Amino acid sequence: MKKIIVLIFVFFSVFIFSQETHFIDIEESKCLDKKEISNAQMLECSIKAGQSWDKELNKYYNLLASKLPKDAFEILKTSQKEWIIYRDKEFKFISKLYYEVKEGTMWYIIAENKKKEIVKSRTLELQMFLEDLEY
């Protein structure tokens, strides 16, 4: 019974803490929260957020590099190289679909949001690895 209670507590703790809003998302929301905003301005907000997530990704990667044992870091390094190949291929497809196949500037915003989410997801993954390492 104790184990079940502990598991329930852990599950809800993870769920509650994962609901925190990241400062990059807050900044992007502020950028988008203008009364009258053009598609070009929305696109700029999304691109800026994507760049911020990329910087954050590099921060966590470098923190892991400094804290992991050498053999574990080498595995992460290989994984990150493979992830970059995946990211670049996804970005290429997203750009082709939303910048060339679809018509209209609103699709550019969707494309940049999709790219941002790919980087954000990996960043949060690296952040979680670091938190697990420090726990």
Side-chain angles (χ1 to χ4, degrees):
M1 184 66 176
K2 270 187 174 180
K3 285 183 180 181
I4 292 173
I5 292 171
V6 169
L7 285 173
I8 291 170
F9 177 76
V10 168
F11 172 77
F12 282 109
S13 296
V14 169
F15 179 76
I16 289 167
F17 290 115
S18 68
Q19 299 302 311
E20 286 181 33
T21 304
H22 196 278
F23 75 90
I24 296 171
D25 294 331
I26 293 169
E27 288 301 311
E28 184 182 21
S29 290
K30 286 178 187 176
C31 183
L32 292 167
D33 200 24
K34 297 174 185 162
K35 261 191 175 179
E36 306 237 350
I37 187 168
S38 69
N39 282 357
Q41 290 169 317
M42 283 190 265
L43 182 61
E44 171 110 5
C45 294
S46 193
I47 290 171
K48 237 184 210 172
Q51 292 167 341
S52 294
W53 279 112
D54 192 56
K55 286 178 187 169
E56 196 78 349
L57 182 145
N58 289 320
K59 177 182 99 177
Y60 285 112
Y61 179 80
N62 289 325
L63 284 168
L64 283 164
S66 70
K67 294 183 182 218
L68 283 170
K70 186 175 172 62
D71 59 333
F73 174 68
E74 288 303 316
I75 295 169
L76 173 64
K77 189 168 144 182
T78 301
S79 172
Q80 190 65 12
K81 285 179 182 178
E82 292 295 322
W83 178 84
I84 289 169
I85 292 168
Y86 158 78
R87 179 205 63 195
D88 291 348
K89 288 179 180 181
E90 284 296 301
F91 279 20
K92 187 175 182 178
F93 171 70
I94 289 167
S95 292
K96 186 73 167 173
L97 178 62
Y98 293 106
Y99 280 87
E100 296 178 32
V101 175
K102 301 297 288 175
E103 292 182 14
T105 57
M106 77 169 198
W107 294 107
Y108 300 172
I109 300 162
I110 292 168
E112 293 308 317
N113 272 312
K114 289 189 175 296
K115 291 176 184 179
K116 175 194 72 187
E117 287 300 319
I118 289 169
V119 177
K120 176 182 176 179
S121 177
R122 181 61 175 174
T123 303
L124 295 176
E125 210 169 34
L126 293 180
Q127 179 184 8
M128 189 182 315
F129 290 150
L130 182 66
E131 289 169 0
D132 289 347
L133 183 63
E134 294 175 339
Y135 181 71

